[in-house]
Amino acid sequence: MVSKTLALNPIAFHLGPIQVHWYGVIIATGVILALILSVREGRRQGIPEDDFYDYLLWALPIAIICARIYYVVFQWSYYRVHPDEIIAIWDGGIAIYGAIIGGFIVMYFFCRYHQLTIWTMLDVVSPAVIMAQGIGRWGNFMNQEAFGKITTRAALLAQHLPNWIINQMKIAGSYRVPTFLYESVWDLAGFVILLLLRHRSHFFKRGEVFLSYLIWYSLGRFFIEGMRTDSLMLGPIRVSQLLSLILFVGAISGLLWRRHHFGARLPWYEK
């Protein structure tokens, strides 16, 4: 017997007249967990706990604004005739690459102001960020976003997916490939790998946890983005694929260049 394909309610609960969306709840959960992990690792690296709270107060709103601007810019053909929806982030439509760019800009100036080593700070937060990205994809799941091409229920069952995921993948009358799930699994796998390797003696030099994060995330995003049918486009080019390629090549080049030119001066991470 085939279960009814009823989509999950994107509204988590109500606070009076205010609707609280699962999208926001899931994103907030990822941010809180990332903050907790960053604070714990920061203690190991001698970074005051308050610096993470101060950074988040600046970075979170700016990252959200940048993520929305990034999305709106590449969907301008729609938003120029629906300007009232530009601020409607509760319906989805924030681009993670925009958030990463915004967060990095804030970190650069924050570290300069507080006289922190930016490479250390980036190394500390990178595993937590990719974890939050993996969690955040479930917000796309609740909003029925970040999906792939049309498929069949049988094909989804063959992947041993539970019915509640399969049912949610029925969008506009057709089942879709759950690319949100593939990216979530990829991100969370990257999180585990970085955690396992981060404190291995003489494995990473300063700055290489961050560069490894970029390599891992951009590699997976490049291929998964190619499976999506709702990509942001720049003419015939998928924007996220182009940016992933740039980051992947740039991060590998940066890692090799730093090892070659500054290898002896870059400190190893110890246990």
Side-chain angles (χ1 to χ4, degrees):
M1 181 177 179
V2 177
S3 61
K4 294 181 180 180
T5 55
L6 298 177
L8 298 173
N9 187 352
I11 308 301
F13 55 89
H14 292 78
L15 291 175
I18 301 175
Q19 294 181 332
V20 179
H21 290 240
W22 278 113
Y23 186 86
V25 172
I26 292 169
I27 295 295
T29 300
V31 170
I32 292 170
L33 291 176
L35 176 62
I36 293 170
L37 290 176
S38 295
V39 167
R40 290 182 61 183
E41 178 62 17
R43 292 195 191 105
R44 294 173 61 100
Q45 304 300 331
I47 301 174
E49 182 175 340
D50 287 347
D51 284 347
F52 291 98
Y53 299 128
D54 292 343
Y55 169 73
L56 189 64
L57 286 174
W58 286 99
L60 185 58
I62 292 176
I64 292 173
I65 291 170
C66 289
R68 186 59 172 176
I69 291 173
Y70 186 103
Y71 183 84
V72 169
V73 165
F74 291 107
Q75 293 278 40
W76 185 241
S77 60
Y78 175 84
Y79 285 104
R80 69 182 178 186
V81 294
H82 299 90
D84 56 310
E85 297 183 26
I86 289 177
I87 65 171
I89 61 172
W90 48 86
D91 290 330
I94 60 174
I96 189 61
Y97 271 136
I100 292 172
I101 292 169
F104 180 80
I105 291 172
V106 174
M107 181 167 287
Y108 173 78
F109 288 104
F110 183 87
C111 289
R112 283 179 61 93
Y113 180 79
H114 289 272
Q115 297 182 334
L116 298 170
T117 303
I118 189 169
W119 286 111
T120 302
M121 193 73 163
L122 288 170
D123 282 348
V124 167
V125 304
S126 291
V129 168
I130 199 169
M131 177 207 64
Q133 288 174 267
I135 293 172
R137 279 303 176 197
W138 289 90
N140 297 130
F141 168 73
M142 293 302 300
N143 280 354
Q144 295 185 303
E145 303 168 326
F147 51 80
K149 66 181 181 179
I150 292 175
T151 187
T152 64
R153 184 179 184 87
L156 296 177
L157 284 169
Q159 298 179 48
H160 305 289
L161 300 178
N163 278 325
W164 57 275
I165 290 182
I166 293 174
N167 292 343
Q168 189 73 352
M169 286 295 97
K170 190 170 186 180
I171 301 168
S174 300
Y175 288 100
R176 297 283 186 162
V177 173
T179 48
F180 89 91
L181 177 62
Y182 304 158
E183 186 170 336
S184 178
V185 171
W186 180 263
D187 291 348
L188 294 175
F191 164 65
V192 171
I193 290 170
L194 287 178
L195 282 191
L196 291 175
L197 297 180
R198 178 164 63 181
H199 294 302
R200 289 192 62 180
S201 182
H202 287 75
F203 190 88
F204 283 126
K205 284 179 173 284
R206 194 64 50 89
E208 293 180 354
V209 177
F210 168 66
L211 293 173
S212 297
Y213 152 71
L214 288 182
I215 292 168
W216 180 269
Y217 176 72
S218 59
L219 176 64
R221 183 61 186 272
F222 179 85
F223 288 103
I224 296 170
E225 189 70 25
M227 301 168 64
R228 289 175 56 171
T229 58
D230 61 344
S231 299
L232 299 176
M233 304 296 291
L234 184 61
I237 300 173
R238 297 174 190 263
V239 177
S240 290
Q241 274 195 314
L242 176 60
L243 188 52
S244 293
L245 182 61
I246 292 171
L247 289 176
F248 180 76
V249 174
I252 290 180
S253 300
L255 192 152
L256 295 175
W257 184 81
R258 292 175 82 245
R259 280 281 182 116
H260 178 71
H261 289 278
F262 304 108
R265 286 178 284 170
L266 294 174
W268 290 102
Y269 279 111
E270 305 291 346
K271 289 185 178 180

